[in-house]
Amino acid sequence: MLDVARGTLNVRPPMAHPLEDLRTSAVAVIATATDEHALETLRVRYLGKSGSISAWGERMRTLSNEERPAVGKLLNEARSAVTLAIECAAAAFRSRGETASLANIDVSLPGTPAEIGALHPLTQMLDRTIAIFRRMGFALAEGPDIETEWYCFDALNTAPDHPARNEQDTFYLPDGRLLRTHTSTVQIRTMQSAPPPIRVIAPGAAYRRDEVDATHSAQFHQIEGLYVDQEVSVGDLKGTLEFFFRELLGAQTEIRFRPHFFPFTEPSFEVDVKSRALKGGEKWLELCGCGMVHPAVFEEVNGARGDDAYDPEKYSGFAFGVGMDRLAMILFDIPDIRLFAQNDLRFLRQFA
Ligand code: DAH
């Protein structure tokens, strides 16, 4: 339309549909909400069950087929625009809230340091030992700490009057069972449950009624080893233990076998080790008991199995027991065995 008087072209926009007005005003009102509560009231006003946009949904049904598509489109647009406006406003309130709570944090304060744990020196010792024997094909075996006299002594060819059985040396339970005095019990359990060949190590705790001092503890740790097959010799035993100690303490480590007595092995030895890697350097240190499995042990096992799987004429084997606490004390230069159990972080941290 030409407005000649003013000399300008006055194009009046076509009349907006009420839904467009509703959309425009709703978005504008939502933008003025000052908090989450006010926003929620507005959401109900427009989008709630009896809200004004929802009311248009009802009204759609009364429209003619011609009108419906266009109005439906406007309604969808209005609903999306209002929903989006509400979501944006809500997000803004949330982030404002977060900023406010962060404002109270003093980032210049020192943090709380996260404690980094470490393995106990005895565990480290055990892990190293196990890793070396695994490379030689030894599997892990285990047995219970509470044992019967048979597993701890009889089956291991220990005489009825042997002092180790004494109540002064061994912790007995009221029912006659006991806390194992060594891990050699696992030899018996392993042979009982499987026929030869056997090649196992058994790490675990052992208990003795010792007077507790810097080198004695009522609970200590051993690794037991057992190798049974045809034609196993003292040479195999010697080679195995030499390899173990050289891997653990260095290639220049010297090893000495001294004849000794254990009821369950014949011949029996104590093994002394000398290594420059250790403090106290040139001294021989006794670290291990070992020997060739006594035929009487095989016979006891056969009796319990009810077969002849461990025929001493056919099979031979070696066994050994290494004290883990003592080895760790020597390797890490620890002066007192009690430190292992006192949980003093000043001590434990040194091994982290
Ligand atoms: N059981 C012995 C001890 O606790 C150590 C030992 C010695 C184990 C000789 C063995 C062995 O297997 O053959 O003192």
Side-chain angles (χ1 to χ4, degrees):
M1 201 182 301
L2 196 61
D3 188 334
V4 183
R6 294 212 206 139
T8 57
L9 191 65
N10 184 8
V11 181
R12 253 206 277 137
M15 262 248 289
H17 188 277
L19 255 172
E20 289 177 285
D21 290 340
L22 175 56
R23 167 185 160 175
T24 313
S25 67
V27 169
V29 171
I30 288 165
T32 65
T34 49
D35 60 24
E36 276 162 322
H37 181 72
L39 192 61
E40 175 58 14
T41 309
L42 292 175
R43 190 191 64 76
V44 173
R45 181 190 300 170
Y46 296 115
L47 300 173
K49 241 200 210 142
S50 40
S52 41
I53 287 185
S54 312
W56 269 95
E58 295 290 308
R59 214 166 300 159
M60 287 286 288
R61 273 192 262 141
T62 65
L63 298 180
S64 68
N65 284 350
E66 291 76 50
E67 280 178 299
R68 204 173 289 141
V71 178
K73 185 165 172 271
L74 287 176
L75 176 57
N76 281 341
E77 283 168 4
R79 193 183 287 122
S80 315
V82 170
T83 306
L84 183 67
I86 289 175
E87 275 167 13
C88 289
F93 288 139
R94 264 199 309 279
S95 95
R96 216 180 297 162
E98 277 162 23
T99 312
S101 59
L102 285 176
N104 296 327
I105 293 178
D106 181 353
V107 291
S108 68
L109 283 175
T112 313
E115 289 270 357
I116 296 173
L119 292 176
H120 190 279
L122 271 177
T123 308
Q124 293 184 28
M125 190 69 242
L126 272 168
D127 287 351
R128 279 159 85 158
T129 302
I130 291 168
I132 296 170
F133 279 110
R134 285 206 110 130
R135 283 165 54 200
M136 290 190 274
F138 283 79
L140 278 175
E142 59 179 8
D145 290 19
I146 296 176
E147 272 294 11
T148 64
E149 235 182 304
W150 187 76
Y151 282 106
C152 200
F153 300 124
D154 301 287
L156 287 160
N157 193 37
T158 307
D161 58 352
H162 193 281
R165 295 186 186 239
N166 207 306
E167 280 193 31
Q168 266 108 55
D169 290 329
T170 300
F171 292 106
Y172 283 91
L173 275 71
D175 65 6
R177 289 181 302 162
L178 49 81
L179 296 182
R180 66 180 177 192
T181 58
H182 52 186
T183 47
S184 302
T185 53
V186 186
Q187 288 185 33
I188 306 301
R189 289 188 170 272
T190 306
M191 289 192 278
Q192 212 183 345
S193 62
I198 292 283
R199 205 189 306 178
V200 292
I201 46 169
Y207 306 82
R208 285 185 204 166
R209 249 187 140 109
D210 275 326
E211 191 80 46
V212 176
D213 62 22
T215 54
H216 296 85
S217 166
Q219 185 202 43
F220 55 100
H221 304 82
Q222 296 183 321
I223 278 202
E224 189 77 14
L226 175 68
Y227 189 3
V228 182
D229 204 343
Q230 291 180 12
E231 292 174 37
V232 177
S233 70
V234 174
D236 296 320
L237 166 61
K238 205 159 175 260
T240 302
L241 290 179
E242 261 172 11
F243 179 80
F244 166 62
F245 283 116
R246 293 204 171 128
E247 282 299 294
L248 188 72
L249 305 173
Q252 81 309 330
T253 303
E254 290 178 74
I255 290 114
R256 175 170 87 178
F257 278 59
R258 242 183 322 102
H260 196 75
F261 173 80
F262 295 104
F264 33 91
T265 42
E266 178 60 35
S268 304
F269 309 94
E270 275 189 335
V271 181
D272 300 333
V273 173
K274 191 157 81 169
S275 169
R276 271 185 279 121
L278 301 174
K279 197 173 170 220
E282 294 307 295
K283 270 204 318 247
W284 285 106
L285 301 162
E286 184 243 303
L287 285 181
C288 170
C290 63
M292 303 305 291
V293 179
H294 199 294
V297 173
F298 285 147
E299 294 295 6
E300 277 291 326
V301 168
N302 285 336
R305 290 175 55 94
D307 63 14
D308 204 20
Y310 287 86
D311 179 357
E313 296 298 322
K314 207 165 144 199
Y315 288 98
S316 54
F318 65 72
F320 57 86
V322 187
M324 284 290 110
D325 305 68
R326 183 162 155 72
L327 200 52
M329 287 170 76
I330 290 167
L331 192 65
F332 300 135
D333 193 20
I334 296 168
D336 194 320
I337 196 170
R338 289 169 287 198
L339 287 163
F340 287 134
Q342 283 166 344
N343 270 347
D344 186 333
L345 286 179
R346 291 168 302 176
F347 167 72
L348 295 172
R349 277 212 182 94
Q350 298 175 61
F351 306 93

